[in-house]
Every structure is written in structure tokens, then in C-alpha cells.
Amino acid sequence: MSGDELLRLDGVSMQYGRGETAVTALSGVDLTVSRGELVAIMGASGSGKSTLLTVAGGLTPPTSGEVIIEGNWLSQLKPGQLATLRRRSLGFVFQDFNLIPSLTAVENVSLPLELDGWSSKKAHRPALDALGVVELADRADRYPSDLSGGQQQRVAIARAVVGGRSLILADEPTGALDSTTGEVVLRMLRSRVDAGAGGILVTHDSRHAAWADRIVFLRDGRIVDQVQATGVSSLFSGSPA
Ligand code: ADP
Ligand code: MG
């Protein structure tokens, strides 16, 4: 594989359940994401987008096929090694923000670093910096319940990218947000990717997909189309959303 390849899905299939009630969520998906590349995934509800992200992020093993992150075959890793890889290399942004209510914004953002062995003192600076990028440095000491939905989502994306994670997986991160927040989130993703990370952005909004370098269309768990969109975001002078 090339040195720039961050993620590869090789013939990935995913089936939920067994027998008559089995659901095939992914079938034979091949996909690579390189450093500096943001890939948008589009497709109808139920087409397998969220499943693709959870499998790509090593949260669920596929029924068949292989997921390779930074050269690591996930099926070959021990659970502890997989957990470490996820913590160090992956950032997830889900539609429901999954913030911890008893931690402040900056503590939520520090958490992945602390789980990886950083002292809370050492984690504080990069966490504050990440909050700064999403324009929330002044809310660092607030609890999630004191923040609007849009602000919570910005905290969640700061947490996903803190410490320079190499692969960012975002599942409709702009879902229910106002367009200003949506744009902050997309800008953050784009700037992390331009700085050398890779990203997958699940979205059903083509204006958001326009921030990506490539758009992949899923239907019934299969990739049915891919469009190279290199440079598209610059056509919109950085603000297609
Ligand atoms: P999308 O994110 O594109 O809406 P999903 O990946 O959530 O698609 O779902 C793909 C298919 O897999 C759907 O038919 C869905 O009902 C099914 N599915 C998703 N998660 C589960 C699960 N945990 N158990 C059983 N079926 C599931
Ligand atoms: Mg989904």
C-alpha cells in the first residue's frame, strides 16, 4: 500500500443478525482514504453509511473482508492494540454528541488524551487550542448542559481532532445544526485534512459533500458511484455550506 494510505476497506461486507431476519448492510465495499483526503459518503437512509463508518473505525468487525488502518490489519490486532489504535489515530464525530455531562467542555476535549496517558495538565493546552479553532475558547469551563446544541457539536468535533488524530470519521456531523455551526464543523474537518489527516464525512447535503475531494455513493450497502471532486471546495471560496 502507498505511504499516504490511511485507511483501506478490502471487500468489506457486514450482515446484522442471521437467518431469515438477517440484514446485509454492506456488501463487498472497497474504499481507500489517503492523507490529505476528505471523502464524502452519500446515500439514502438505510444504505449502510453509518455501518461503513463504524466498521472503518474498528468499532465493529465486518462479517467478511479486511479493514486496514495505517498499515494495521484490524483483524490481526489484539483488543488492547485495537483500543490503542482507535484512541491515537481515530477521531469520531457522531450526530448525537456523546459529551460527558459531568465534565466541562475543555475536560471533554482533553479526555481522549488523558485516556492515552497524558496528564490532565499536559492535555489542557491542546484541548484549549482545539476549542479555539471551533471558536469556543471562551466556553471552555462550561458544562454541556450550559451549551447550545451547536456549541456541543463543536466541542464534539474539537474532541475528535485533538492531539492530531490521523483519521477523522464524521457521521452527519452537521445534522440538525444551524448553518453557521455546520460551516465551523466543516471548516475544522477540512483544515485537519489539509494538515495531513484523512477524513470520511457522511452527509446527505450535497453542499456539505462539496467540501470533500471525492464523493462516494452508497446504495443497498454497495458503492454505486464515485466522483472525484478535487478542488470543489475552493470553487466555493471556502464556504459552500
Ligand atoms: P444509514 O446510516 O445509511 O442510514 P445504516 O448503516 O444505519 O444506514 O443501516 C444499514 C442497514 O443496516 C439498514 O437496513 C439498517 O436497518 C440495518 N442496521 C443498522 N444497524 C443495525 C443493527 N445494529 N442491527 C440490525 N440492523 C441494523
Ligand atoms: Mg446513518
Side-chain angles (χ1 to χ4, degrees), residues 16 23 25 44-51:
Y16 293 106
V23 174
S45 178
S47 59
K49 305 181 297 296
S50 295
T51 301

Side-chain angles (χ1 to χ4, degrees), residues 139-163:
R139 299 285 193 281
D141 296 321
R142 303 290 184 87
Y143 289 91
S145 57
D146 282 342
L147 299 173
S148 70
Q151 290 169 338
Q152 290 181 44
Q153 183 62 316
R154 280 143 66 186
V155 174
I157 190 150
R159 182 186 54 185
V161 304
V162 74

Side-chain angles (χ1 to χ4, degrees), residues 67-111:
V67 179
I68 303 153
I69 298 177
E70 296 183 302
N72 298 284
W73 290 50
L74 298 195
S75 64
Q76 308 295 311
L77 299 180
K78 299 195 177 78
Q81 294 173 313
L82 178 60
T84 303
L85 177 81
R86 277 205 311 253
R87 278 201 310 269
R88 296 204 174 139
S89 300
L90 298 187
F92 291 95
V93 192
F94 296 110
Q95 206 169 1
D96 52 355
F97 323 118
N98 288 319
L99 296 180
I100 297 181
S102 59
L103 298 180
T104 63
V106 69
E107 288 167 349
N108 266 284
V109 177
S110 305
L111 189 61

Side-chain angles (χ1 to χ4, degrees), residues 190 210-212 229-240:
R190 188 69 245 180
W211 288 70
T230 309
V232 159
S233 60
S234 60
L235 295 178
F236 293 84
S237 51
S239 54

